[in-house]
Amino acid sequence: MSDNEPAVSVQALQPHPKLTELTERLSGRWRVKGRGIDGMAEYKSAREGLLLVVSVDFVVNGTEMRIIQHITYDPDADMLRAHYMDTMGDESTYEWVLDGQNLRVSLSDETSDTYFEARFNDDNSEYVGTWHYPEHVVGGAPEERIVYSRIERSSAD
């Protein structure tokens, strides 16, 4: 190490408990079903637990779509942030919050009016949620209810 390189402490390389909890809850493969939605999601721990990679392959109203999200802990904001990209060309930043059996994924931050709220069942084999959109974006379109059913659990790293 040169004199110009910052020293990295071992503690700085430990996954944050918020990310560890989310990773432990979601790691594995899930079936995704909803009105006009059918597909698979996979959650994998990476970089020794410092990253949760989400891959989703599904068909939405007849259109094939792939999504990838990289979820990490943002120490400056004390939150889990995800960078989202899909095959339709969309890119976004999301905030993930796991609070007990409740999950909220918000566009940009927790105060956003575009968000997904879900609840896990008692054995964490399923979570059911609804996307909520601001009226001016969808013009009163119905909310999207989606069911994620666990197919296979994987270890968290």
Side-chain angles (χ1 to χ4, degrees):
M1 179 165 80
S2 73
D3 292 337
N4 294 333
E5 291 181 44
V8 177
S9 73
V10 173
Q11 187 174 16
L13 298 177
Q14 297 297 315
H16 190 274
K18 288 180 182 182
L19 184 57
T20 300
E21 181 182 13
L22 184 68
T23 299
E24 288 173 354
R25 182 75 58 95
L26 292 173
S27 284
R29 294 180 54 220
W30 298 76
R31 177 90 172 145
V32 183
K33 295 285 284 181
R35 194 182 77 219
I37 298 170
D38 186 19
M40 305 289 281
E42 185 170 18
Y43 299 82
K44 286 183 177 180
S45 180
R47 295 190 55 227
E48 298 179 5
L50 297 173
L51 179 68
L52 179 58
V53 179
V54 182
S55 302
V56 183
D57 292 305
F58 57 1
V59 177
V60 178
N61 297 321
T63 302
E64 289 185 23
M65 190 173 192
R66 295 186 106 176
I67 295 170
I68 190 163
Q69 286 190 63
H70 291 151
I71 304 170
T72 59
Y73 174 72
D74 178 349
D76 295 331
D78 187 30
M79 66 179 57
L80 299 177
R81 290 204 193 252
H83 185 70
Y84 166 102
M85 295 178 288
D86 67 32
T87 53
M88 305 302 283
D90 293 327
E91 291 186 46
S92 301
T93 300
Y94 284 89
E95 176 187 348
W96 285 66
V97 176
L98 180 61
D99 183 13
Q101 293 299 100
N102 298 312
L103 176 66
R104 183 179 171 110
V105 181
S106 304
L107 182 62
S108 300
D109 65 47
E110 66 184 60
T111 62
S112 173
D113 54 0
T114 300
Y115 59 94
F116 176 73
E117 275 187 323
R119 181 158 180 83
F120 285 89
N121 63 359
D122 290 338
D123 67 359
N124 297 316
S125 63
E126 182 176 88
Y127 65 99
V128 178
T130 304
W131 272 102
H132 303 270
Y133 302 99
E135 283 187 34
H136 67 276
V137 173
V138 248
E143 297 171 334
E144 299 174 24
R145 183 176 181 271
I146 304 172
V147 177
Y148 289 74
S149 302
R150 187 183 300 279
I151 297 169
E152 175 184 13
R153 182 179 292 275
S154 63
S155 65
D157 212 29

